[in-house]
Amino acid sequence: MSSPVPDQTKRNLSMIIPTKEGGAPSYAGRKRPHALTLAVYDPAAADHRANAANLSLSGALVPFLPPPVDAAPINAVPLSAVAPRAEPAWIRAHFNLRLDLTVTFIDEKAVTATDLDPQQNRFRLPAAGVLRSLRPILSPDELDAAKIPCEGAKEAPRSPRLPPTEEELQQGRIKRKKKQGKKHSGLPVLVCNVHAGTKQLQLTRWESSHGNIIKGEGYLDFITRCCFMEKDIVEIWAFKERSFRLFGVDMCHASPLYIVLTKKEQPPAASVVGMDECTM
């Protein structure tokens, strides 16, 4: 067997022996060897890798198993927090709204008998939806006109009803003078419906019960033409155009507050062929 050539032996030794005292080995023209690392042996991880290798050799699909995450199940998250509610398709085309103008979903409610009662003559809005969704789009002056408290303001206590006096109880009737009906006051709004059209009414708040209502002259005729029935689910939407100036030029003017009342789309029953249209 022939001995190695001296030049070749020198080159092999130069890869592991420093050329100078304290110097690093020379790796010129060659790949640097991988550094050694210390790993802790995990029997469970080794078994998992072995099983995955066996399955991959057999041609089976190996699913990726991520580490467990401490998270709530998907059904614990409300749907409204995941995806916003889609606005009715007819609103933008009917009012010729800009694409960037937000139409805000306020809330939904079931129509009550008092909403259709001529003696009540008002449409009550859900208080939680008004404070959560309608209040942020109103200015301080508009909130004051609608008697809606600003965010962070303390609620005024409800005024209690005074009990009748002993004299009134003895006479068997209450002698209190009948309160005069208050004039329609509040924030002017344009209430809209696909059947009833648009009607200017007032948005206000009862001081006694803190209920948010829509009322005004012509309300009863408007709500009748909406074709709402008791227990119908109605969606409440709102939008308002704010004035915008660019380089001293009015790009758009401010508009009144629009409140849209629309019946929520209900899936038809299997036995129902068509839906009756409102003809009022």
Side-chain angles (χ1 to χ4, degrees):
M1 182 176 181
S2 60
S3 59
V5 181
D7 293 341
Q8 181 66 29
T9 304
K10 185 177 180 180
R11 284 196 297 270
N12 293 339
L13 293 176
S14 65
M15 295 177 60
I16 59 175
I17 301 177
T19 56
K20 295 183 181 180
E21 185 178 355
S26 174
Y27 305 107
R30 296 174 177 83
K31 293 184 179 180
R32 184 181 181 90
H34 294 289
L36 297 178
T37 58
L38 179 62
V40 179
Y41 177 72
D42 186 357
D47 294 341
H48 178 71
R49 287 193 296 270
N51 294 334
N54 294 334
L55 291 174
S56 62
L57 291 176
S58 63
L61 296 178
V62 181
F64 172 72
L65 300 177
V69 179
D70 186 12
I74 191 171
N75 57 2
V77 181
L79 184 60
S80 59
V82 178
R85 184 166 310 204
E87 65 188 48
W90 63 271
I91 292 182
R92 291 192 179 272
H94 182 78
F95 296 100
N96 194 23
L97 301 181
R98 303 193 323 268
L99 294 178
D100 60 341
L101 181 62
T102 302
V103 180
T104 304
F105 172 69
I106 305 303
D107 212 331
E108 67 177 32
K109 63 162 290 182
V111 177
T112 62
T114 55
D115 294 325
L116 309 175
D117 187 0
Q119 298 296 328
Q120 299 290 333
N121 201 31
R122 92 290 182 277
F123 187 86
R124 186 160 186 166
L125 303 177
V130 170
L131 297 179
R132 180 185 63 249
S133 303
L134 182 58
R135 178 167 61 181
I137 67 177
L138 299 180
S139 66
D141 292 339
E142 291 166 343
L143 291 174
D144 183 66
K147 301 179 182 178
I148 299 175
C150 298
E151 187 174 1
K154 294 183 179 180
E155 290 279 0
R158 298 182 181 182
S159 54
R161 293 184 178 181
L162 297 177
T165 62
E166 293 182 2
E167 182 180 357
E168 292 173 343
L169 291 175
Q170 290 177 358
Q171 293 181 358
R173 61 186 181 88
I174 298 176
K175 293 183 177 181
R176 294 178 186 175
K177 293 182 179 179
K178 185 178 180 181
K179 293 183 178 180
Q180 297 294 328
K182 294 183 179 180
K183 295 182 179 180
H184 295 299
S185 60
L187 176 67
V189 295
L190 293 179
V191 187
C192 313
N193 177 264
V194 67
H195 299 299
T198 303
K199 180 67 178 179
Q200 181 172 341
L201 298 170
Q202 287 79 35
L203 171 64
T204 188
R205 194 167 187 255
W206 278 332
E207 298 177 358
S208 57
S209 62
H210 294 171
N212 301 277
I213 61 170
I214 293 175
K215 65 175 185 176
E217 186 177 354
Y219 163 79
L220 186 60
D221 178 66
F222 173 82
I223 204 67
T224 301
R225 288 187 284 111
C226 288
C227 301
F228 293 153
M229 304 293 291
E230 188 177 351
K231 298 182 180 181
D232 282 348
I233 305 300
V234 172
E235 292 183 350
I236 305 165
W237 297 79
F239 64 90
K240 180 176 174 61
E241 186 80 71
R242 296 291 179 183
S243 59
F244 175 69
R245 293 175 61 87
L246 182 62
F247 300 111
V249 179
D250 291 332
M251 304 301 294
C252 60
H253 300 281
S255 72
L257 174 66
Y258 284 80
I259 295 181
V260 181
L261 307 179
T262 178
K263 187 175 179 180
K264 186 176 181 179
E265 295 293 337
Q266 300 288 345
S271 60
V272 177
V273 177
M275 296 180 62
D276 295 335
E277 296 184 355
C278 177
T279 57
M280 298 181 66

